Amino acid sequence: MAHMTAWRAWSGGLGDAVLDPGMPVGPSMTLNQDGSVTEGGGANPASGVTILQAASMEDALELAKPCPHLSAGGTIEVAEALDMEM
């Protein structure tokens, strides 16, 4: 509960940069190329997703640095959303 309170404070402090606050996710499974399934989601399983808007990757990393997930021992993957228009 304390972690979620800290996360909400961090997320709320980002203002308009938050496009979608997302949600936490439960345990993940990895679907492998051969169709087999591995429990646990690999080396860095997702624990949630948040969509932010930033001018650059560097700006996105700066927005993520204060996230309390890091102080709780987690890591954060930051990636650019790609345009899928055809």
Side-chain angles (χ1 to χ4, degrees):
M1 188 59 143
H3 180 73
M4 286 306 297
T5 300
W7 182 88
R8 285 186 186 104
W10 165 77
S11 179
L14 294 174
D16 291 341
V18 178
L19 296 181
D20 185 339
M23 70 199 87
V25 298
S28 61
M29 308 286 279
T30 299
L31 179 60
N32 301 298
Q33 289 179 336
D34 65 2
S36 65
V37 176
T38 305
E39 290 188 43
N44 189 23
S47 61
V49 61
T50 298
I51 300 174
L52 304 177
Q53 179 173 301
S56 66
M57 178 60 80
E58 291 75 21
D59 289 346
L61 290 165
E62 287 301 314
L63 291 171
K65 280 182 181 178
C67 179
H69 188 60
L70 294 170
S71 61
T75 60
I76 297 174
E77 298 294 321
V78 178
E80 182 179 354
L82 301 176
D83 184 5
M84 297 295 290
E85 288 186 37
M86 300 238 187

